[in-house]
Amino acid sequence: QSRDGVCSSLTRPQESLLSAIPQAEIVQEVSVDVVRLDGLQLPTHSRLMVKLDVQGFERSAIAGASGLLERVQ
């Protein structure tokens, strides 16, 4: 997380970003659990909306939801 709370990422920012945007200074690192969407117990009988905010990890996120996406009509 950045000092101003605006920037956050799952990966460490590149030096070019830190140089260009001083507010992007890292002030806190947090460990998070990563789970496959297919591993979640989601309802099978109703509509489901999924919003992904994965900042460059779209391909991995979609790969982790292959079973879920098979259910899309």
Side-chain angles (χ1 to χ4, degrees), residues 1 9-12 26-35:
Q1 181 173 347
S9 179
L10 289 174
T11 60
R12 180 173 287 282
I26 299 169
V27 295
Q28 180 181 18
E29 291 187 23
V30 178
S31 296
V32 296
D33 293 329
V34 177
V35 298

Side-chain angles (χ1 to χ4, degrees), residues 32-57:
V32 296
D33 293 329
V34 177
V35 298
R36 293 176 56 96
L37 288 171
D38 285 342
L40 300 176
Q41 298 297 321
L42 300 172
T44 58
H45 60 281
S46 61
R47 291 184 179 175
L48 177 67
M49 183 176 118
V50 177
K51 179 187 182 299
L52 301 175
D53 182 7
V54 292
Q55 303 177 1
F57 289 90

